[in-house]
Amino acid sequence: MPRLEKSNGRGTRRLKLDWQFVQRFCSIQRVLFPSWNSQSVLMFGTLLVVTLTEQMIIYQVGVLPSHFYNVLADKDYAGFRSLVGTAMTLILINSTLKSVDQYICNRMYVCWRTTLTESLHSSYFQGRVYYTLNVLREDLDNPDQRISQDAERLCKQMSSMASRLIVSPFTLSYYTYHCFYSTGWIGPVAIIGYFVIGTVANKILMSPIVSTLFEQEKLEGDFRFKHMQIRVNAESAAFYRAGKVEHTRTDRRLQALIHVQQRLITKELWLYIGVNTFDYLGGFLSYIIIAIPIFSGVYDGLSPGELSAVISKNAFVCIYLINGFTQIIDLSTTLSDVAGYTHRVGELREVMDDILRKQCDYDPASGESYDFDSDFNIHAGPADTAFILENLSYKSPFSDQLLVDDLSLKICQGTHLLVVGNTGTGKTSLLRVLNRLWEAESGFVHMTTCFGPRGTLFLPQKPYLTDGTLREQVIYPLKDIYPASGSVDDDRIIQFLELAGVSSLLRRTGGLDEIVDWSWYDVLSPGEMQRLSFARLFYLQPKYAILDEATSALTEDAEAQLYRTCKQLGMTLVSLGHRSSLVKYHDIQLRLCGEGRWELTKIK
Ligand SMILES: Nc1ncnc2c1ncn2[C@@H]1O[C@H](COP(=O)(O)OP(=O)(O)OP(=O)(O)O)[C@@H](O)[C@H]1O
């Protein structure tokens, strides 16, 4: 079964629209806009041009009523006809530009999502970050949800804000100038003052929303995780007839999520009240501003027709300027979402960077990292040795009790080692330390071969089956897929499937490269999974094979045949297991006795 890691119920910190948000936001922007000639920058530039042109057309459309007042007051029929023609053309251009603006925003969203998710993936799959993050780090909930959902929502919300934000400095300056020209200093000062009050009020209302949204996304992740757990373990749960208990537990997670969602909605109510009040007050404010020059006698010399045209034009300028500011205030709800998602994605990036820094699993100079078939961090040593353990002590994470104390051992070619011991004495943990998944408490592990066909291959206790064709199962974790047919590799794969006793899979899948629409975990028995893992081992033919209870679901006869084949293929074996039948395939035995004690004996 694929390992389903625990979802942690950690408390939510107070996350706000603060300096930390600004830092995280800027660091994400550096990912989205990596260089001046990147796709995002080009799209952003195009969006700016489109929205500016749109604004120019909107201005022309906005002053049309004032022209209409003029021609209607003068009963100018020819002027009226030409004005109708101009209006139709402007409206057509405007709607086309609006659609193009939306189109670019959508394209930008897809581009940002790709860039951000790929950047998160490259950290997540760097070295063993995905393991540490999911198994050993307690301080970060649901990394899967942050990568697949939160990053997507962040990009969606940012793209929905983009076109309004990008153009606002231009429209606001332009209409402020016009407003000043029409109404004197009183207009712009009143509108800017009104905007400052609106922003401060909304900032106060937004802060509690950010931390609640963060919490809601965490609970969304927990809820989805529960469903995933049932999906992956449906058969085991069904054997227990565990429908009722799973129902209660899943409902409990839903209730926790709904509770926070309701809190979020209540907090948003206050923000909506604030936003709507400022919207309506804005509409009202424009008439006050227009009234000032009228009542102070600035337009006393104008005829009623001219005065209507002036009022119409001034009203448009003031309303548009106020509208520009209220649109920014309207973005408060989107901005609070952006802040919540920024904190979730930003925190994930920081934790991954921290893991990478501490583990030093990557050499930026050579590009080498902790990976399959990589020579990264391999110590020089005798050619016939895979591991040298010197005074090694280790314990499990979150525990003070040593599992093994002061162990010195060499794993050499041709000397097959069996590791035995009671449950929980640290057999698999020894492999975790050898594989560098866990740090040693003290002492050293020198690895003198790499992971992969040229060195060591681990078969974990729970067989790992990837998604994909039968060929991809066998060659895993090699990346390259050989040509679909006529490959010389086919015969080798078929031969190894036969040797592992799973040639029947060829018939079931219909061929090595047939795409299967089932989950391998659902259709293979545990024994078949173990046999398929051996087919993989035979195919990769490493010098050293480390087998963690790799034959526990098989008969002793099958075990004998698989061990014989491994030895015929020249592999040195390190086995972990409880079965006494394993002893005869090994030369030395390491017994872990618990509380740090161990014994190393020769097998006669
Ligand atoms: N990710 C983890 N976090 C904390 N403790 C862990 C973790 N993985 C294992 N442990 C603990 O470390 C101890 C040793 O585990 P290990 O898997 O090495 O046992 P084992 O000897 O292989 O047992 P078995 O024979 O059942 O496979 C156990 O007490 C286990 O609960």
Side-chain angles (χ1 to χ4, degrees), residues 297-554:
V298 175
Y299 302 128
D300 279 355
L302 299 181
S303 70
E306 285 166 336
L307 185 61
S308 307
V310 168
I311 291 176
S312 163
K313 189 170 174 226
N314 285 2
F316 168 70
V317 169
C318 289
I319 289 173
Y320 209 84
L321 181 58
I322 291 168
N323 189 40
F325 281 119
T326 45
Q327 272 198 4
I328 293 181
I329 292 176
D330 284 353
L331 289 179
S332 308
T333 44
T334 319
L335 183 65
S336 55
D337 287 358
V338 166
Y341 295 126
T342 299
H343 278 302
R344 285 186 68 76
V345 175
E347 193 181 54
L348 173 68
R349 281 164 46 81
E350 284 158 20
V351 172
M352 291 200 292
D353 285 349
D354 180 51
I355 295 173
L356 264 177
R357 230 184 352 261
K358 284 191 186 141
Q359 291 183 339
C360 306
D361 271 346
Y362 179 61
D363 176 12
S366 65
E368 284 253 48
S369 71
Y370 166 100
D371 214 344
F372 191 72
D373 216 15
S374 146
D375 287 327
F376 182 72
N377 246 346
I378 303 291
H379 294 260
D384 64 343
T385 308
F387 294 95
I388 303 167
L389 281 57
E390 280 176 16
N391 308 104
L392 175 72
S393 303
Y394 59 86
K395 57 187 179 81
S396 65
F398 322 116
S399 157
D400 294 328
Q401 176 73 47
L402 281 182
L403 289 167
V404 165
D405 189 14
D406 206 22
L407 171 67
S408 295
L409 173 73
K410 266 188 190 172
I411 297 178
C412 301
Q413 207 160 10
T415 310
H416 306 285
L417 169 71
L418 176 64
V419 184
V420 295
N422 264 339
T423 310
T425 47
K427 300 185 295 298
T428 306
S429 304
L430 174 63
L431 303 194
R432 293 182 184 119
V433 176
L434 292 184
N435 207 325
R436 301 202 209 131
L437 298 178
W438 289 8
E439 305 290 336
E441 184 66 10
S442 61
F444 299 97
V445 177
H446 301 290
M447 202 176 92
T448 52
T449 59
C450 62
F451 297 109
R454 293 182 292 135
T456 309
L457 195 80
F458 288 74
L459 286 198
Q461 203 166 9
K462 295 174 195 160
Y464 181 68
L465 301 181
T466 181
D467 50 333
T469 62
L470 183 56
R471 184 195 301 276
E472 283 165 322
Q473 299 297 344
V474 176
I475 69 169
Y476 187 85
L478 288 182
K479 278 191 290 229
D480 300 320
I481 302 164
Y482 295 95
S485 60
S487 158
V488 281
D489 229 40
D490 288 10
D491 295 341
R492 277 186 73 218
I493 294 179
I494 293 167
Q495 182 200 349
F496 292 137
L497 284 170
E498 270 164 21
L499 276 172
V502 273
S503 52
S504 61
L505 286 181
L506 265 174
R507 277 192 304 283
R508 277 164 73 176
T509 55
L512 281 178
D513 297 303
E514 288 305 311
I515 310 277
V516 293
D517 55 2
W518 65 61
S519 155
W520 288 89
Y521 287 101
D522 293 338
V523 299
L524 296 194
S525 70
E528 283 173 323
M529 288 187 219
Q530 289 193 338
R531 284 174 182 274
L532 189 52
S533 303
F534 269 94
R536 190 179 283 168
L537 184 68
F538 298 158
Y539 176 81
L540 295 170
Q541 278 177 34
K543 283 195 213 151
Y544 300 87
I546 303 199
L547 313 173
D548 188 358
E549 310 212 14
T551 52
S552 57
L554 302 174

Side-chain angles (χ1 to χ4, degrees), residues 160-262:
S160 75
M161 288 168 77
S163 71
R164 273 191 279 173
L165 271 187
I166 194 176
V167 79
S168 50
F170 300 94
T171 48
L172 291 180
S173 342
Y174 182 75
Y175 285 101
T176 304
Y177 166 74
H178 268 279
C179 187
F180 175 74
Y181 187 73
S182 321
T183 66
W185 60 268
I186 189 89
V189 169
I191 293 171
I192 291 169
Y194 153 83
F195 173 69
V196 170
I197 296 170
T199 311
V200 172
N202 279 345
K203 158 84 177 64
I204 296 167
L205 294 171
M206 263 191 296
S207 281
I209 293 178
V210 178
S211 57
T212 316
L213 185 106
F214 188 96
E215 198 182 342
Q216 178 199 281
E217 290 309 311
K218 174 195 168 296
L219 292 172
E220 284 278 8
D222 290 351
F223 179 57
R224 208 181 49 175
F225 173 84
K226 184 72 202 162
H227 270 288
M228 180 73 181
Q229 198 178 39
I230 293 164
R231 184 180 140 192
V232 173
N233 300 302
E235 188 175 90
S236 309
F239 269 118
Y240 280 111
R241 306 259 161 151
K244 263 195 193 131
V245 65
E246 290 299 349
H247 182 178
T248 318
R249 286 176 182 208
T250 312
D251 270 358
R252 207 180 294 155
R253 294 216 181 186
L254 177 68
Q255 290 309 328
L257 168 64
I258 298 297
H259 179 69
V260 172
Q261 235 166 8
Q262 277 167 346

Side-chain angles (χ1 to χ4, degrees), residues 23 25-35 349:
Q23 283 176 319
F25 187 77
C26 291
S27 110
I28 291 174
Q29 296 314 306
R30 280 195 288 277
V31 175
L32 300 182
F33 298 95
S35 64
R349 281 164 46 81

